[in-house]
Amino acid sequence: MRQLVFPLILSVLIVACGSNQSSTNKTDINKPVAVKAQPIQVTTANELGMWKVASYAGDLGDNKNSNFITNAFAIWGTYSNSTIDHSEVKVKFLIDKVSFCLKLYEYGKKIVKKGDETNYKITVKLEENEPFLFTAKNVSDRIFIEEPDARKIIEMFNKGGRIYFCLANDSKSNPTSYAFVVDNPSGFNEAIKKLSR
């Protein structure tokens, strides 16, 4: 009896797997496939939108000014210099009660640290509005934006829409420019309220 059961099960599996399967087109794995990038869709269920409140403290145990606002999703843009044209850059906002900073990651992982540059010229533009120009410094591994300039950016965040950022450093050895878009930064005001608690 066992000798009949195994062949019977095997033949049922073969028939089931082979009979109603749709044919697949063979693709050349070496042929490039175009992929259309889709913007991140933020659900309205999250009151903070694209933002989250995190903590610097970690294992240090220092709770003074330890909470900060950052983007919950990766923001991607491009950067170019004398040797690289339109390579990927990941952008992270670090905003706490005393500072408003941008952290840039070339290739998505290499942190842009202070080099021979002293300033970044930054242009921020909210869709149809006039561009806002200012300078900021990278004194460590992030670009520190002065309070009056940060307030203007926060006003743009609270208006929503698309906000375009362009940055150019004044490096003598490796001038580099960065560009990225923040799409629908709603929820920032709610994140500020959580930060203040």
Side-chain angles (χ1 to χ4, degrees):
M1 185 70 167
R2 282 187 184 173
Q3 293 173 344
L4 286 175
V5 172
F6 181 71
L8 183 62
I9 292 173
L10 185 61
S11 62
V12 168
L13 287 174
I14 291 172
V15 170
C17 291
S19 63
N20 292 325
Q21 297 294 318
S22 60
S23 64
T24 58
N25 294 334
K26 291 187 177 182
T27 57
D28 182 2
I29 60 171
N30 295 320
K31 185 178 177 184
V33 177
V35 178
K36 186 176 180 184
Q38 296 294 323
I40 295 172
Q41 297 297 318
V42 179
T43 60
T44 55
N46 181 1
E47 67 176 358
L48 301 183
M50 65 168 278
W51 305 103
K52 70 178 181 178
V53 177
S55 177
Y56 291 125
D59 298 330
L60 300 176
D62 177 17
N63 292 327
K64 186 178 181 185
N65 292 326
S66 64
N67 289 339
F68 67 98
I69 300 168
T70 188
N71 37 301
F73 309 103
I75 297 172
W76 291 94
T78 59
Y79 77 97
S80 300
N81 58 32
S82 59
T83 58
I84 295 166
D85 193 28
H86 291 88
S87 191
E88 285 187 328
V89 65
K90 185 168 77 171
V91 181
K92 189 170 196 162
F93 285 90
L94 303 166
I95 303 158
D96 59 34
K97 292 177 184 175
V98 294
S99 62
F100 188 111
C101 301
L102 289 171
K103 203 165 186 179
L104 304 172
Y105 299 82
E106 292 175 350
Y107 306 108
K109 54 190 168 198
K110 180 185 169 210
I111 298 171
V112 175
K113 296 184 179 179
K114 180 186 180 318
D116 69 339
E117 73 278 350
T118 56
N119 287 307
Y120 281 78
K121 289 182 182 176
I122 302 176
T123 305
V124 183
K125 186 176 183 315
L126 175 60
E127 293 185 302
E128 303 301 320
N129 296 351
E130 289 294 314
F132 168 55
L133 304 151
F134 61 96
T135 59
K137 290 189 177 194
N138 184 349
V139 296
S140 59
D141 65 350
R142 60 200 69 188
I143 299 167
F144 286 83
I145 297 171
E146 298 283 330
E147 186 180 347
D149 302 324
R151 276 198 304 261
K152 288 195 176 195
I153 296 171
I154 291 170
E155 284 175 23
M156 291 181 193
F157 284 167
N158 288 328
K159 287 180 182 175
R162 283 188 145 194
I163 303 171
Y164 300 86
F165 286 77
C166 294
L167 298 82
N169 70 21
D170 64 353
S171 171
K172 291 172 181 40
S173 63
N174 192 23
T176 306
S177 61
Y178 303 87
F180 63 93
V181 176
V182 176
D183 200 6
N184 190 21
S186 61
F188 191 81
N189 206 27
E190 288 75 19
I192 288 280
K193 289 176 188 170
K194 285 191 178 242
L195 190 65
S196 300
R197 290 181 191 160

